[in-house]
Amino acid sequence: MKRYQVVGIGNAVVDVLTRADDSFLDHMGIEKGIMQLIERPRAETLYGAMEDRVQAPGGSVANTLAGLGNLGLQTAFIGRVKDDALGTFYAEAMEEIGTRFVNAPVAGGELPTSRCMIFVSPDGERSMNTYLGISAELGPDDVDEDVAANAEVVFLEGYLFDKPKGKEAFQSLARACRAAGGRAGIAISDPFCVERHREDFLRLIEHELDYVIGNEAEIRALYQNDDLESDLAAVSSICPLVICTRSGDGVTIMQEGVRTDVAVDKIVPVDATGAGDQFAAGFLYGLVSGADMETCGRMGHAAAGEVISHMGPRPERKLMDVFAEAGLV
């Protein structure tokens, strides 16, 4: 038995959320519905413009681990924070939800703890402005190979690809996990991230990973065209398990050449923040529990449906209760 069912590696980012209409976004020069990387002065400006802020530990993979912890799995997170107020808050908050925060906050780090200002529109779209800070310095020295070897599954965050040290950390974690009989996979994270690092993404997927999760835009970005079907065939030829979320059209899963399409009930989101992260949590719970692909997909949909029903990127209800109501457990 492994010590952890899932170990994640990614940006340790404090999420700061507020509501904002389109006119506010235009006034502040915020592009709606995407994630933008910003520098420290811009981060301070946007933070000062936010009203009725809600603060929570975030980051894509960390949100997924929160969902998995909600489901009772043993998890750990490899991330980098400073020993400032936000960093201490982040590390303690992860431990409180049952996820081991592997790396102690860095004493006297030059860069502050990362934060993401999220502006939620009335239609549920989220516009994210992320200052990466110290998390962008995550590297192979931060990877505890004993933790990796004791993971059934490791889950990587594509955003870390923007720094060479992040790529090296990915490789160290994936190789240590797989060498000990575990499985490694990635959330592609963002089509713009793919465009910046396409060859490295494809090389990693083909040679180092057992599964990949991405939405339609991210999968298409791997091959620079608009033919999703050919792109699914291409990526599934180099990776044993491919999961493509398709918004209101559900999810397409390709496992060893076998295709499974899982429909989704369309609902109007209160806040779409964290939908993909919690889909991953539900899917990975099914994967490590030995469920079939259709059940894994339905668990992903159920977890995502819960999180978009309220503000914030993490579940407010027990996801096992949500699964039970959907007839999944």
Side-chain angles (χ1 to χ4, degrees):
M1 292 289 293
K2 301 282 189 179
R3 189 182 311 153
Y4 307 105
Q5 274 97 28
V6 180
V7 171
I9 182 171
N11 285 310
V13 182
V14 177
D15 284 337
V16 187
L17 296 96
T18 192
R19 294 186 181 276
D21 58 24
D22 289 355
S23 62
F24 175 88
L25 300 182
D26 289 341
H27 175 70
M28 297 301 296
I30 298 169
E31 189 168 349
K32 184 176 179 179
I34 68 167
M35 194 285 291
Q36 291 181 303
L37 295 176
I38 59 175
E39 297 301 324
R40 190 172 182 175
R42 173 70 167 164
E44 293 172 351
T45 297
L46 293 182
Y47 185 83
M50 302 178 88
E51 297 181 356
D52 300 320
R53 294 183 290 256
V54 177
Q55 181 173 294
S60 180
V61 166
N63 288 337
T64 296
L65 293 174
L68 291 166
N70 179 291
L71 286 161
L73 298 191
Q74 296 297 311
T75 60
F77 179 68
I78 297 171
R80 191 173 176 86
V81 298
K82 184 180 178 179
D83 64 342
D84 52 18
L86 285 179
T88 301
F89 161 77
Y90 193 98
E92 291 177 351
M94 292 299 290
E95 294 282 351
E96 286 172 4
I97 63 169
T99 292
R100 181 187 170 200
F101 193 78
V102 175
N103 307 95
V106 178
E110 294 183 7
L111 297 174
T113 296
S114 309
R115 72 286 313 269
C116 178
M117 279 67 69
I118 303 173
F119 298 88
V120 183
S121 306
D123 60 2
E125 280 286 350
R126 78 274 195 213
S127 306
M128 300 183 292
N129 298 265
T130 303
Y131 168 61
L132 289 177
I134 198 171
S135 69
E137 299 303 311
L138 183 71
D141 291 343
D142 296 303
V143 175
D144 185 328
E145 293 197 358
D146 180 65
V147 171
N150 273 286
E152 293 181 26
V153 169
V154 295
F155 188 44
L156 317 174
E157 180 180 308
Y159 287 131
L160 282 181
F161 256 56
D162 278 316
K163 287 287 186 77
K165 288 196 296 185
K167 296 177 186 179
E168 293 172 15
F170 270 25
Q171 190 174 76
S172 296
L173 183 65
R175 288 181 176 177
C177 174
R178 298 180 87 199
R183 290 178 285 185
I186 192 171
I188 297 177
S189 297
D190 185 270
F192 301 111
C193 192
V194 174
E195 289 169 6
R196 291 191 292 270
H197 309 285
R198 183 175 294 105
E199 290 185 5
D200 286 338
F201 264 110
L202 287 171
R203 188 178 302 110
L204 183 81
I205 291 169
E206 181 173 7
H207 299 293
E208 308 284 0
L209 301 182
D210 303 290
Y211 67 92
V212 58
I213 301 175
N215 63 28
E216 292 179 84
E218 292 158 359
I219 296 295
R220 287 199 304 266
L222 287 171
Y223 297 98
Q224 295 181 281
N225 64 56
D226 292 322
D227 187 349
L228 181 64
E229 293 303 317
S230 69
D231 294 341
L232 283 171
V235 71
S236 66
S237 72
I238 62 171
C239 186
L241 177 57
V242 179
I243 305 100
C244 178
T245 58
R246 309 179 69 174
S247 189
D249 293 326
V251 60
T252 296
I253 303 164
M254 304 288 287
Q255 184 184 39
E256 302 287 359
V258 177
R259 177 172 179 150
T260 303
D261 290 296
V262 184
V264 63
D265 295 327
K266 296 181 181 180
I267 61 174
V268 177
V270 173
D271 171 19
T273 307
D277 303 336
Q278 295 313 318
F279 173 87
F283 188 92
L284 290 176
Y285 176 83
L287 187 68
V288 300
S289 300
D292 60 67
M293 289 297 101
E294 180 175 359
T295 301
C296 289
R298 292 179 62 198
M299 286 179 166
H301 287 328
E306 191 284 334
V307 81
I308 67 174
S309 69
H310 56 77
M311 284 282 288
R314 299 186 175 188
E316 291 184 348
R317 297 181 59 199
K318 288 290 186 183
L319 290 178
M320 198 60 73
D321 293 341
V322 175
F323 289 177
E325 290 169 7
L328 296 170
V329 294

